[in-house]
Amino acid sequence: MKRSLATLALATFGLAACADDIPTDVSTPSAPRQPAASAAAYLPGKVIVRFKGEGFSRPSVSMQERIGMARREVDEYGVTVERALLLPGAFVLEVQPGMEEQVVSELNEDPSVEFAELDYLITVVPCETGDCDTPDDNHFGRKWDLHNPGSITLAGVTTATGAADADMDWVEAYEALGDDFGGSAIIGIVDSGIRASHLELAGRVIAARNFASGYPATLIEDRDGHGTHVAGIAAASGAGSMRGVAYGSGIKLVNAKACERYIFPDGIIRTSCPNTSIADAIVWATDQGAKVINLSVGGSPLATVGPAIQQAALQYARGKGTLPFCATGNDNAATIAFPARFPECVAVGSTNWSDTRASYSNRGPGIDMAAPGGASTATSLSLILSASNSADNLYSYKAGTSMATPQAAGLAALLFARGVGSADAVLARMTETVDDLGTAGYDDSFGAGRINVCRALDPAQLSVDMPGSFNRTSEGTFTVVIHAVPGFDPARLDEANLTLGDGTAAGARVEVKGGAYRSSLVDMDADGDLDLVVKFSRPDMATNVASGSTALVLRGNVGCRRVEGREPVNVLR
């Protein structure tokens, strides 16, 4: 039975009075409450609630009817329904400031309530280095994240990067796909807004709306710079000679602004994002057709429970076939932050130009993959260059998991545009084609590994012939024929990385004899093209093939491309 909270007076949620030193363009609500030094700030006088029941989600029920239903649900509590959120059944309630936690506690005991919580503020995952907002002229040679030849030369000065080829093999993919690869996809940028007039982003933004609490929906411009920088990494067109990962003309952006300036109890203005704003932005971007959502936002890695309203919105997105990418955070913590920790998010950590974990990047169970995010060193060149919100032709450097996340989101958009059909298939493709860094296989620093654009876009299949059976106790060699097919020349295989096994282990490598690989080029099928004949050591293979296996898996590399062939085989004892 509902308990009455009639003793709680209703609050009027107005704009905060601003001190003389507060800029006049910070039209924020009341200063966020922060009841203890270790507690996260939340909007005062606001409580989030989501009710159970199918009535709230029926398409025939109007928004006004839903608000009426919610009012009846909370009538006995003596609180007011301020507004409905876009997530079905979710609402913002007005309560007396100071009584938020009591209202949440009471509502969570109500059997008709799915969850109730405070409207916490989380920040856009900030730039890892303090001077990263300095605008700079553009030069593609500075984009080591896309192509890292081992050094950068500007105005006659050469700066060594950490390691040659510590990049995503983007240039190799671009060379294969051409200037405009065709296909289309929409990326939702949930952030501080986008400078849509920037020459790298002009014509990209097809829808925009502001969801930051206390601000008008029409305040869509980026007053912080974070969102514009993120958008450029994901999808800059190259109009100023700096391309984003997903550069084609068919890639569009949705500006789902959720973050604005808020005055905190210490008097400092911070660009932050209420959880209700993030949730509405996720739902709206999904409904605008975004197949990919970028969330370079995050809370404290010390939190043990994430905001339920955020997770519900992420579940809504995944249910619609949309893939959200979330930054793990910049605390150098052994736990990743929410929302990245939610299973609905693809959690992205950051690498530097040496292909090691960026010193700030959070790590831990749940990280899915890594991407270049830069690192703060003596030179700004080690950061990530992208569009600035300062002017339409300016660029800036930033570093952080905020910068790594749109690299992965851009690759996902490329895969959707190139015809990979579902969110699960896109994620699987990205995970299977990474460059494995750190400990072999999955690890808590890099997840599956650092993304590789070229491999993900073109994982060629091999046409393979093998003997019909494999006896694990036999000596000698096991011969495999790799056939030439249109678009693939087996003679270009990097035999040093050619392996054969049952797909569950590293696989045996091609046998070496007399300092040369045991292979030869022969036209085995008389089609005029040379095929590659390779011999593997049976004893070596036996350690990588389990009894009862029904197929052998051949893997190798052609440049950046990872190629694979499978052939049914009867594995004998």
Side-chain angles (χ1 to χ4, degrees), residues 392-466:
D392 291 346
N393 61 347
L394 289 182
Y395 301 78
S396 63
Y397 290 97
K398 296 182 187 294
T401 54
S402 283
M403 285 63 253
T405 305
Q407 310 270 23
L411 174 53
L414 271 176
L415 291 172
F416 275 115
R418 295 289 292 168
V420 180
S422 69
D424 289 343
V426 166
L427 180 56
R429 175 75 68 82
M430 293 177 67
T431 303
E432 293 165 357
T433 57
V434 295
D435 284 315
D436 190 7
L437 304 179
T439 304
Y442 180 90
D443 62 71
D444 287 349
S445 291
F446 303 98
R450 193 249 307 120
I451 61 173
N452 186 300
V453 178
C454 183
R455 283 181 181 168
L457 288 169
D458 190 15
Q461 297 295 307
L462 300 176
S463 177
V464 181
D465 281 341
M466 300 182 191

Side-chain angles (χ1 to χ4, degrees), residues 161-185:
T161 59
D165 205 35
D167 56 43
M168 301 181 292
D169 282 339
W170 180 90
V171 165
E172 291 85 342
Y174 177 81
E175 289 172 349
L177 297 179
D179 191 64
D180 200 349
F181 50 78
S184 62

